[in-house]
Amino acid sequence: MAENLVIVESPAKAKTIEKFLGKEFTVVSSYGHIRDLAKKNLGIDIENNYTPEYIVPDDKKKVVTDLKKQVKNAETVWLASDEDREGEAIAWHLYEVLGLQKKDTKRIVFHEITKTAIQDAIKKPRSINFDLVKAQQARRVLDRLVGFELSPVLWKKVKPSLSAGRVQSVAVRLIVEREREILNFKPTSSFKVHGDFNSSKGTLNATLSEKINAKKDVKAFLENCIDATFKIADITKKPSKKSPAAPFTTSTLQQEASRKLGFSVSQTMAVAQRLYESGKITYMRTDSVNLAESALKTAESAIKKNFGDDYHHRRTYTTKSKGAQEAHEAIRPTFLENDSVSGSNQEQKLYDLIWKRTIASQMSDAKLEKTTITIDISSDKRDFIATGEVLIFDGFLKVYIESTDDESDEEVKGLLPTVKANEPLEMEEIRAIERYTHHPPRYTEASLVRKLEELGIGRPSTYAPTISTIQNRGYVVKEDRPGVERSYDMLKLENTGVQEKKLTEITGAEKNKLFPINIGMVVNDFLVDNFKEILDYNFTATVEKEFDEIALGNMDWSKMIDSFYNPFHKNVEETTEHSERQKGERYLGDDPKTGKPVIVRIGRYGPMAQMGESDNENEKPKFAGIPKGKLMETITLEEALDLFKLPRELGDYEDKQMVVAIGRFGPYVKHDNKFFSLKKEDDPFTITKDRAIEIIEAKREQERNKFIKTFKEDETLQVLNGRYGPYISFGKKNYRIPKNTDPKSLDYEQCLEIIKKGDEKKSAKGTTKGRKKK
């Protein structure tokens, strides 16, 4: 009989904690939430103060049965779920479902999984904080009400199987509005003038003090410089400094891991959770920048030991976020003396980033000297300006430099040659390059997180699931897109006079950016038109503040829900009854050959072009799918007419016709009643017969090599070759084959063992998924 039963959310966390407690403690996992709102009738009793109706899902019934058995054999139960609102709710659900008694139950919290932290928590147990539980419950109930009432409206008014959510819809709105800013942006050009001047000590690279708009004015300026003289008019030197960034919060970690490591937001959180559960970093869902006194002392010791006393500067940071949840610490290594850890490559990279950021936050400022040299032009009132920067003392830069999302082409400032006032200079070359204004940048996952945080929308626990949801629901895609060629002018003044050149460059290339797709834009417009309050940024931020007030015990959660729900429900009813269907329909013009109107709109299977009238009984209209990446808002009549050239016959292969077309999943070749997807580089309008045969044969080869092994004991259990290597397929689930295992050598029993272990791991991952339900 175990004297003490400790219940946590995940097996990984349980395994780490068990090391720090004696034999009288048994540590087990609940595998995340053990119950959730029922799907039937909203799972909320609206007439009874919005009382939630919770059920234990089928996949958690065995977990609950096992936990109840272990509870019976324990004298004391310790609920050790995470210290945020979600963790508090998990603790409360365990208390309720397992029938725990207050006298035998203790709640413990900690923000790091270390021996000291766990043993300190055991010494200072508390009861369940019901204010935190109510705040989590309010979020869950409100999000269920919004999702379950809005989604059917979309099914009826836009397209079946769509969904809406309180935070996800606002995130989509941000991306749609940014895309329209970009579509409506009209770039303007001007000339940036650079000059290279020789002094007795070296070459000065300088820039004219102002841009010149017109090409004729640039040419006139350069011609005036032919006989001009140049000299040093002024030299200014100013000391400056750079200070380190604060330690990581959830959002800044997600942003920096995206910029420096190329991690997605959800990937960052998954890796950080593994580091936390193995005791290597503090809790990873936080909006605090505070560091514990013990961490400050360890950082001081590590800095002085590794870099010297001059590099240490004790700093305390204050959390600016008004809605900061509970008194958490910033994300930091649990043991700052360890500058590296064991683990996967991703874990090592993220830990290194966290360690450097934490250490840098306690280091001295970097000291610099900025030099500005003004060059006088005898023939013009304007000046050339040369700037340089010298690093006097590197300070925190020895360890860490923060990245930015800035996409401007700012030049790196370096050392300047030593010159004197009034010193004459020899002009080597002056060149004027035409530059264009940039449209606002599209969001990356990281910059979207920053925007949501700036607006007060969401909290550390919601950023990653929100960004994953809007992509999984098919409203937004994250992808690279190629740039387009653009010409620009360059004028150059050399000894021989002014030369003109027309050059080209690739502009507008995007990498890992978030793009709205057609259905996302149509749904956004419908919601903005009919549910202005739900889609309002300030309203969404105000709701977050109200959750914070509930968590502090300053607001009644059911009254907060009531004040929201009554007008919202009325809005839903009115919209359902009176609003028009929204198809995003746009008239492009008439087909020159037939005179029939051509429109684009959302159809049953997605965006499409239509030629002809739908209500014409004598002649049905023609339809053509709009390919991915093409927006209904920008497609031209000519581009739409091209779509009707499909399907296109390519000729026979093996005595059967090959036809290329565009379907709901993109362009494809159809042959012998089978479908073969085209590659990204293949254009359905120009693809040749030979290339289509290549695609067909490549797919056949892939299919031939797909099956590695099957078993007579159960034909549904298969060892297959996949995109990412061999795997086991069984019961509509896939299982990774361990490294250094030859898939061909696996027998039936070995496969079952891999499946068993895989199911255990997937149940452990249910901790994260359970926390993501919003």
Side-chain angles (χ1 to χ4, degrees), residues 27 130 166 172 198 212 228 248 355 395 434 446 493 511 535 548 567 577 615 640 669 696 746 758:
V27 187
F130 287 100
R166 186 180 56 84
V172 171
N198 294 324
I212 302 175
F248 281 130
W355 184 86
E434 187 178 21
L493 171 61
K511 187 169 178 61
L535 271 288
D548 297 338
E577 188 174 346
D615 53 4
V669 173
I696 291 167
L746 290 170

Side-chain angles (χ1 to χ4, degrees), residues 231-369:
K231 68 175 182 179
I232 303 295
D234 184 53
I235 304 166
T236 305
K237 293 187 178 183
K238 287 183 179 178
S240 68
K241 67 177 183 178
K242 286 183 181 176
S243 299
F248 281 130
T249 62
T250 301
S251 70
T252 55
L253 176 64
Q254 289 169 343
Q255 291 165 48
E256 198 71 340
S258 171
R259 293 184 292 233
K260 276 190 159 60
L261 306 177
F263 286 7
S264 69
V265 167
S266 57
Q267 184 182 9
T268 297
M269 293 312 291
V271 176
Q273 180 141 346
R274 292 200 296 271
L275 289 171
Y276 166 68
E277 291 181 341
S278 58
K280 291 165 185 171
I281 64 169
T282 53
Y283 192 53
M284 66 286 162
R285 294 185 186 93
T286 177
D287 38 21
S288 171
V289 289
N290 178 53
L291 291 177
E293 182 62 30
S294 59
L296 293 171
K297 288 179 179 176
T298 310
E300 179 179 356
S301 174
I303 292 164
K304 288 181 175 178
K305 178 184 174 184
N306 292 318
F307 310 112
D309 291 2
D310 290 345
Y311 281 87
H312 177 255
H313 180 86
R314 183 186 173 104
R315 300 172 192 270
T316 54
Y317 295 89
T318 305
T319 303
K320 294 177 182 177
S321 173
K322 290 179 182 177
Q325 285 189 44
E326 295 80 63
H328 294 165
E329 227 187 315
I331 302 168
R332 62 164 175 83
T334 48
F335 299 102
L336 275 164
E337 57 269 32
N338 297 335
D339 61 3
S340 61
V341 291
S342 59
S344 69
N345 187 42
Q346 289 181 341
E347 287 168 23
Q348 290 178 24
K349 284 181 177 179
L350 193 64
Y351 181 89
D352 180 66
L353 190 67
I354 295 167
W355 184 86
K356 286 177 176 175
R357 174 82 163 222
T358 308
I359 287 290
S361 76
Q362 297 302 307
M363 291 180 73
S364 304
D365 291 337
K367 296 177 182 176
L368 306 103
E369 183 180 74

Side-chain angles (χ1 to χ4, degrees), residues 460-502:
S461 61
T462 66
Y463 299 137
T466 296
I467 287 171
S468 296
T469 298
I470 62 176
Q471 293 176 67
N472 295 338
R473 297 276 160 84
Y475 293 149
V476 170
V477 292
K478 182 178 75 171
E479 61 186 18
D480 302 344
R481 289 193 182 173
V484 294
E485 192 171 82
R486 176 174 69 188
S487 63
Y488 66 97
D489 290 316
M490 183 172 79
L491 290 79
K492 189 186 292 186
L493 171 61
E494 297 176 311
N495 294 331
T496 54
V498 178
Q499 308 293 323
E500 290 186 37
K501 277 187 181 179
K502 182 73 78 174

Side-chain angles (χ1 to χ4, degrees), residues 28-87:
V28 296
S29 169
S30 70
Y31 297 94
H33 279 283
I34 59 166
R35 67 176 183 174
D36 194 11
L37 293 174
K39 294 282 171 67
K40 193 177 180 182
N41 299 325
L42 287 176
I44 300 160
D45 186 351
I46 293 172
E47 303 303 322
N48 188 21
N49 284 334
Y50 305 94
T51 302
E53 297 173 7
Y54 291 111
I55 60 162
V56 176
D58 290 342
D59 63 339
K60 288 298 172 76
K61 285 179 179 174
K62 185 178 184 304
V63 174
V64 169
T65 301
D66 292 344
L67 287 173
K68 282 182 175 178
K69 287 178 185 174
Q70 289 165 312
V71 164
K72 281 182 182 177
N73 296 325
E75 291 180 11
T76 304
V77 176
W78 304 76
L79 301 175
S81 48
D82 291 337
E83 63 171 338
D84 59 7
R85 297 171 196 173
E86 203 78 21

